[in-house]
Amino acid sequence: MRLEEHLADCDEDLKELILRIGNVCKTIASGFASHQTYSDTQNIYGEQQMALDKWADEVIIADLKKSGIVKYLASEEQPEVLKFKGTGSLGVTLDPLDGSSLIDVNLAVGTIVGIYRGRVLAPGKEMIGAMYVLYGPLTTLTYTVKKGVHDFVLNPDGEYVLMKENIKIPEGKIFAPGALRKNYLPGHLKWMETLESQGYKIRFSGSFVADVHQILHKGGVFTYPGYVGKEQGKLRLLFEANPLGFIVEQAGGATSHGNGDILEVRPIAVSQRIPIYIGGKDEINLIEKINKEGLRT
Ligand code: F6P
Ligand code: MN
């Protein structure tokens, strides 16, 4: 089944947004070779080339600006929320190229999108949909509009076709832990040691979207915790944690910032960071339990 058919029951603007982003991500997927070669250098015509993440940001923003369906757009690459003229009412958060430090070593990176009906400076629970496109050996598109989580693959004819419908996060023993062990906070260290003693195996690529995609399909948990000197961690609430957390929750998993659901956090700034735990319910319950007990002693 083609993506367009799968979205048949969606609100028109939401359907158009997902299709548009899917389309513009085809441009990004096919532009890696030419843009990467010259990133941050001059091309043969003496023109300065943009880094790939900036280029991806511009390509997506230009497309959404002319779409007429988006009102607010917050991008990790932009200092301010953009407000577009017209009758559109959708709010979009964008991490145009997550994991972009891995491009030079040819590992998987992705585009992450959160979708709101209106303002984006809102708790993740208010999203009406979320999606990501992962550029790996295959280009895949994963989306939810709160009716299950579905995976599509870009086929050789340039069409996204259904690969897996109604994904449910399975039980699994993979963990993807960011940050340095020597800086772990006590509760996080205890949680890590508990998982290790239960036989969890580390798989951390350095690309959040790729690591969460693996967890979504194989079970386990992704974390980029808060740590000594950076208690809010590294990753961004609006651009990274919320969209992927929303997708994993829709697939039967859970999220936490260590002491509560990430999706319930009311953001005060678009660039806000947050400690992240995303994955199976058991692993998420465990970090919350350990942190609660820690507070009592
Ligand atoms: O967007 C930030 C990011 O590249 C994520 O994709 C990834 O999980 C993280 O940073 C990796 O951070 P570090 O380099 O500290 O392991
Ligand atoms: Mn990112």
Side-chain angles (χ1 to χ4, degrees):
M1 184 190 270
R2 286 160 52 239
L3 180 59
E4 188 165 1
E5 296 163 326
H6 205 260
L7 290 164
D9 295 337
C10 256
D11 287 350
E12 271 310 309
D13 57 352
L14 184 54
K15 173 178 166 182
E16 187 185 336
L17 180 73
I18 293 170
L19 289 174
R20 269 185 176 274
I21 292 171
N23 266 329
V24 79
C25 287
K26 292 180 200 170
T27 308
I28 293 167
S30 61
F32 280 115
S34 48
H35 281 79
Q36 177 56 20
T37 314
Y38 300 113
S39 74
D40 271 344
T41 61
Q42 290 195 343
N43 68 13
I44 50 169
Y45 308 106
E47 294 158 346
Q48 188 69 23
Q49 298 290 293
M50 254 181 275
L52 249 171
D53 38 12
K54 298 255 178 322
W55 171 72
D57 190 51
E58 292 204 353
V59 172
I60 298 171
I61 290 176
D63 188 81
L64 296 184
K65 190 174 178 184
K66 70 171 186 233
S67 71
I69 54 173
V70 175
K71 184 162 191 178
Y72 301 105
L73 195 153
S75 165
E76 198 172 332
E77 299 291 334
Q78 301 291 329
E80 310 258 312
V81 179
L82 307 177
K83 191 172 176 198
F84 297 146
K85 293 203 181 79
T87 54
S89 66
L90 293 173
V92 173
T93 65
L94 177 66
D95 183 348
L97 218 44
D98 177 60
S100 57
S101 69
L102 297 178
I103 289 167
D104 58 349
V105 288
N106 198 27
L107 288 179
V109 297
T111 298
I112 308 173
V113 176
I115 310 169
Y116 297 76
R117 177 64 66 199
R119 288 185 186 280
V120 295
L121 203 59
K125 287 253 187 271
E126 293 183 13
M127 275 186 276
I128 58 169
M131 66 186 286
Y132 58 87
V133 173
L134 186 60
Y135 315 100
L138 298 170
T139 297
T140 59
L141 182 154
T142 302
Y143 88 90
T144 185
V145 288
K146 295 169 79 174
K147 291 181 200 148
V149 175
H150 318 288
D151 264 356
F152 288 74
V153 60
L154 189 61
N155 74 10
D157 299 327
E159 289 278 1
Y160 289 102
V161 291
L162 185 62
M163 190 158 63
K164 196 163 180 201
E165 201 169 32
N166 288 316
I167 299 160
K168 292 286 167 215
I169 182 170
E171 285 188 13
K173 292 205 165 178
I174 292 175
F175 66 159
L180 288 180
R181 197 175 189 101
K182 72 176 174 67
N183 294 333
Y184 285 171
L185 298 171
H188 183 74
L189 179 61
K190 188 169 174 195
W191 178 76
M192 287 285 294
E193 287 173 347
T194 310
L195 295 185
E196 280 159 357
S197 73
Q198 292 172 0
Y200 278 69
K201 185 165 75 176
I202 289 184
R203 286 191 180 174
F204 185 83
S205 75
S207 164
F208 176 52
V209 61
D211 288 336
V212 171
H213 187 68
Q214 173 168 219
I215 302 287
L216 176 66
H217 286 275
K218 297 189 176 173
V221 63
F222 175 96
T223 176
Y224 208 115
Y227 56 90
V228 177
K230 217 166 173 184
E231 278 68 19
Q232 291 310 304
K234 176 181 183 188
L235 300 185
R236 311 274 176 180
L237 173 61
L238 260 76
F239 307 115
E240 292 166 320
N242 273 340
L244 294 196
F246 190 74
I247 287 173
V248 170
E249 283 200 8
Q250 292 293 318
T255 76
S256 172
H257 48 77
N259 298 292
D261 190 335
I262 290 174
L263 300 179
E264 280 170 9
V265 174
R266 187 165 287 280
I268 48 174
V270 277
S271 59
Q272 181 169 339
R273 298 174 200 269
I274 190 145
I276 293 187
Y277 299 82
I278 293 178
K281 284 188 171 147
D282 291 349
E283 294 88 346
I284 301 304
N285 288 339
L286 184 64
I287 184 63
E288 299 225 331
K289 183 167 171 278
I290 288 173
N291 283 340
K292 267 200 199 89
E293 283 169 0
L295 291 179
R296 265 189 250 123
T297 51

